[in-house]
Amino acid sequence: MIETLRLARRTPGCLLLLTGNFAVAFGSNLVLPYLAVFLTREEGLSSAVVAVAITVKFWSQQGLTMLGGWIADRVGPVGAMCMGLLIRALSYLAILGASGPVQVVAACALLGFGGAIYVPASKSALVRLLGTGEQLRTLFALRSTANNAGNALGPLAGSLLLLLADARVGFVITSAVFVVLAVVLLRLRTLPAADEPAARTSAETAASPLDYRQLAWVLLCAFAFGFCYIQLEYALPVFTGSVQNPAFVGVLFTVNAAAVVLLQVPLNQTVSRISGSAVVIAGALLLMGSGFAAASLGSMAGLIVCVLLFSIGEVLIDPRLDSEIAASIPAHRRGMAFGFVGTAIAAGGAAANGLAAMLSTGQGAVDRSFWLILVAVSAGFAAIIYVTSLTRSRVLEASAKS
């Protein structure tokens, strides 16, 4: 951790970018966890309208990341980050000023679109500052740590704010934070790119080859990760509430948040000696599968073990996907590639939720056999990812010899 922090401090603009990621996560979570409550209680909207608004926000952010990445490639990562922040700032004020269901849904769609622009652009900006060396993976892990710290502290600050002030104050504060942050981040535009030689012409950049097979493999990994990751947000809470006291769900989320924050950088530094991402990602999926097996027991200990193994898998996979994109995709297409990864994760999550809905029993809960199915599915994903990586390596070796 200390070595990673030193690297971040030595790299001009890196600490600013990481602090910005923390501020975005913190500011968003001042409001987002309580958005549905605000819209129903304060704005008087029906639960159906609120459900549509929240769903539109989610799919706008996840489904439009490809468009957001394309924008980052066209205007530059720093400019796109600032654009995304300003759009999100505007959307929070639009939610406050909305006078009906249509306006609320449109404002939530705008909020999601701002996130769809910011996320791939922020990842591209980190690669621009650091280059594509081995140290990038641990910096991506540090970025995730900053985001998760903001995700953990934001709701606590939001709860305190709700006790001390009107609920609308949180929207105004978050909007102001994003505007200020957009102005501050403009400083990054003056910093040189670490991974692109200054003398490189635009024609040479445009001619950089794109390895579509490698991109397809990364997207397969992202789909598998999304399929497993979404269980923490839907199936696991519902299942836990059916076999334990519903309050225990909060304990599991706390365990996940703490594990991710504490393990993100140390664990990735430990496995950085393993150069093959296929080994790490396949192994992480097997760990998540083992966690699903523990969840099938339904006991408190089994559920905690599930979340711990799940957290380790999450910590290992997420930075690997980002570093694979950084290493294999030309800089002028990197933003869109990061966007593709976000969409693939969302697609995997949608497929998993569809399966959970099909196999659910009373009150939407899944039974213990569902977790055993997930064990098989995650093991299957791990095998496919590892085998396809080996096949691709052999094809490249054969091409090099011919």
Side-chain angles (χ1 to χ4, degrees), residues 209-233:
L210 176 61
D211 190 339
Y212 289 100
R213 291 183 180 179
Q214 175 66 9
L215 178 60
W217 183 82
V218 174
L219 296 182
L220 169 64
C221 296
F223 181 91
F225 175 55
F227 190 97
C228 295
Y229 178 81
I230 201 67
Q231 309 308 327
L232 182 67
E233 298 186 4

Side-chain angles (χ1 to χ4, degrees), residues 6 25 104 262 305 317:
R6 287 175 178 169
V104 168
L262 294 175
V305 169
I317 293 176

Side-chain angles (χ1 to χ4, degrees), residues 43-90:
E43 299 296 303
L45 297 175
S46 68
S47 57
V49 170
V50 173
V52 170
I54 298 297
T55 301
V56 167
K57 180 262 173 191
F58 174 80
W59 285 109
S60 175
Q61 180 161 338
Q62 299 299 323
L64 296 180
T65 50
M66 290 181 293
L67 176 58
W70 179 84
I71 292 173
D73 290 336
R74 293 301 177 273
V75 306
V78 177
M81 288 171 63
C82 297
M83 182 190 302
L85 288 172
L86 293 177
I87 289 175
R88 295 182 81 174
L90 176 63

Side-chain angles (χ1 to χ4, degrees), residues 3-216:
E3 291 291 331
T4 304
L5 289 174
R6 287 175 178 169
L7 173 62
R9 190 171 63 249
R10 290 196 306 265
T11 305
C14 187
L15 282 181
L16 175 59
L17 183 58
L18 294 174
T19 304
N21 282 326
F22 169 82
V24 168
F26 181 85
S28 297
N29 282 282
L30 281 177
V31 173
L32 289 181
Y34 315 105
L35 180 59
V37 176
F38 171 80
L39 292 176
T40 52
R41 293 185 181 179
E42 302 293 333
E43 299 296 303
L45 297 175
S46 68
S47 57
V49 170
V50 173
V52 170
I54 298 297
T55 301
V56 167
K57 180 262 173 191
F58 174 80
W59 285 109
S60 175
Q61 180 161 338
Q62 299 299 323
L64 296 180
T65 50
M66 290 181 293
L67 176 58
W70 179 84
I71 292 173
D73 290 336
R74 293 301 177 273
V75 306
V78 177
M81 288 171 63
C82 297
M83 182 190 302
L85 288 172
L86 293 177
I87 289 175
R88 295 182 81 174
L90 176 63
S91 67
Y92 283 117
L93 298 180
I95 290 173
L96 287 183
S99 58
V102 175
Q103 292 91 334
V104 168
V105 171
C108 286
L110 191 66
L111 176 60
F113 181 53
I117 297 176
Y118 177 83
V119 172
S122 66
K123 292 180 178 181
S124 293
L126 187 61
V127 181
R128 181 178 180 274
L129 291 177
L130 286 158
T132 57
E134 286 297 319
Q135 75 276 6
L136 181 62
R137 191 174 300 133
T138 55
L139 263 298
F140 270 125
L142 187 59
R143 177 186 180 278
S144 295
T145 301
N147 288 342
N148 282 291
N151 291 337
L153 296 176
L156 297 177
S159 298
L160 180 61
L161 195 59
L162 285 175
L163 293 175
L164 300 177
D166 185 272
R168 292 169 175 79
V169 174
F171 288 83
V172 176
I173 291 177
T174 300
S175 182
V177 167
F178 284 176
V179 171
V180 172
L181 185 59
V183 174
V184 171
L185 288 178
L186 284 174
R187 295 172 53 192
L188 297 175
R189 301 186 72 173
T190 62
L191 298 176
D195 63 335
E196 293 295 325
R200 190 168 185 171
T201 66
S202 58
E204 289 173 329
T205 300
S208 300
L210 176 61
D211 190 339
Y212 289 100
R213 291 183 180 179
Q214 175 66 9
L215 178 60

Side-chain angles (χ1 to χ4, degrees), residues 381-397:
F381 276 134
I384 292 171
I385 286 169
Y386 185 71
V387 170
T388 53
S389 177
L390 286 179
T391 303
R392 172 168 165 68
S393 297
R394 289 168 183 164
V395 171
L396 290 176
E397 289 177 2

